[in-house]
Amino acid sequence: MNKLLKYEIRKTRSAKLILLGITAVVELAFLAGLYLVKSDDNSLLIVSCLLLFMLAMLGVSVIGLLSVLILHHDMNTKESYMLFMTPNSAYRILGAKVLENGLSILLIGAFYFGLGFLDVTLLFAREDSLQQLWEMFDQILQTISHEIQINPAGIACFFLWFLTGWIATITTAFLADIVSTALLKGKRFNGVVTFILFIALQSLLNRLLPLFSRYSAMNQRFLIESGINLLFSGLTYVGAAEIMRRKLSV
């Protein structure tokens, strides 16, 4: 399992290094705008903040989608035959992909969360007026809903919910892609059926989440739905691995 996991990590290493390199450049621009540019010129600071936020959102999404593309490539090229010739079960092969994807999403999410928290702290230390702006923004949100909490705990719960939701989406895409390759390959409307299956599973998850978290406070709702996302991810993984074992294993 360790060898399989290392193999999967190597496949996505270049993309992660590129993402971190771009983030480092934008972070340097943020620090330059914060400490080197005159306080009355905030253009560099604003642009770098927006870029860092976009990198955080897109970075997590891209890493997840990359895992789906790698799985599709592995199953539709000669690498599929070679992969199943190794002394590893379908559960281990797919498990390494799911584990690598989950760890990558969680670690990258934690990295951007920590970086964002640090940058906001630096902004508050630099500009006293930002504290007033933050408090005003918090008051506006409270008028919309008293459940919204703009604090480290609330933000952490939100990010956990977002990351586990994305992991559930990726494992659902794994299942749909494996069904496409193992059961529908070469058949008419293969892509349409696969897409419908993915949408149906995602819709099922979206309907299940409110049933268990409807009457909970916001942070509790995030935590409950995060747990359901992880459980759903486990079920889609088992389903996908079982199809691989029955239909794709050599």
Side-chain angles (χ1 to χ4, degrees):
M1 186 67 174
N2 289 336
K3 291 183 179 179
L4 285 172
L5 183 58
K6 290 178 182 178
Y7 178 63
E8 295 299 327
I9 291 174
R10 283 199 300 268
K11 288 182 179 180
T12 59
R13 180 172 55 190
S14 297
K16 292 170 186 172
L17 290 176
I18 292 172
L19 178 63
L20 291 177
I22 296 173
T23 302
V25 172
V26 178
E27 179 67 15
L28 288 174
F30 167 80
L31 294 175
L34 187 62
Y35 292 110
L36 300 181
V37 179
K38 294 181 179 180
S39 58
D40 57 346
D41 184 8
N42 294 324
S43 57
L44 180 60
L45 193 61
I46 294 172
V47 171
S48 59
C49 284
L50 291 174
L51 288 176
L52 285 171
F53 179 78
M54 292 175 60
L55 282 170
M57 296 295 104
L58 291 176
V60 172
S61 302
V62 166
I63 293 301
L65 291 175
L66 183 61
S67 297
V68 177
L69 293 175
I70 290 174
L71 173 65
H72 182 78
H73 176 268
D74 286 350
M75 292 192 303
N76 290 276
T77 62
K78 292 182 179 180
E79 291 185 24
S80 172
Y81 181 79
M82 295 174 63
L83 192 61
F84 285 109
M85 284 293 290
T86 62
N88 294 288
S89 66
Y91 281 88
R92 283 192 172 190
I93 293 171
L94 185 61
K97 294 180 179 295
V98 172
L99 184 59
E100 188 280 331
N101 174 67
L103 288 175
S104 295
I105 289 177
L106 290 174
L107 288 175
I108 290 174
F111 167 76
Y112 279 111
F113 175 78
L115 183 64
F117 184 80
L118 174 63
D119 287 346
V120 170
T121 302
L122 292 175
L123 275 170
F124 284 166
R126 170 78 176 181
E127 301 287 347
D128 294 336
S129 59
L130 286 176
Q131 181 65 41
Q132 299 176 355
L133 181 63
W134 182 270
E135 292 175 353
M136 183 177 66
F137 179 65
D138 185 43
Q139 290 175 0
I140 293 173
L141 290 176
Q142 290 297 320
T143 59
I144 299 173
S145 173
H146 292 291
E147 295 182 345
I148 300 177
Q149 300 179 25
I150 305 301
N151 53 46
I155 296 173
C157 289
F158 169 78
F159 266 92
L160 179 63
W161 171 80
F162 172 78
L163 295 174
T164 55
W166 189 239
I167 291 173
T169 299
I170 297 304
T171 54
T172 302
F174 280 176
L175 175 59
D177 191 53
I178 289 171
V179 168
S180 174
T181 301
L183 304 179
L184 303 174
K185 190 173 183 178
K187 295 185 178 181
R188 196 176 183 183
F189 303 121
N190 178 356
V192 175
V193 174
T194 302
F195 180 73
I196 291 174
L197 174 61
F198 172 76
I199 295 299
L201 289 172
Q202 281 297 110
S203 298
L204 175 63
L205 176 60
N206 292 334
R207 287 179 178 274
L208 286 174
L209 291 176
L211 295 178
F212 296 93
S213 61
R214 179 179 303 171
Y215 302 108
S216 303
M218 182 64 72
N219 285 355
Q220 291 178 334
R221 189 181 309 166
F222 283 143
L223 293 176
I224 291 171
E225 294 189 359
S226 296
I228 296 172
N229 285 332
L230 292 177
L231 177 61
F232 192 82
S233 300
L235 292 175
T236 51
Y237 156 70
V238 171
E242 189 61 23
I243 295 173
M244 286 181 69
R245 184 185 71 82
R246 293 174 179 269
K247 299 296 183 180
L248 296 177
S249 294
V250 178

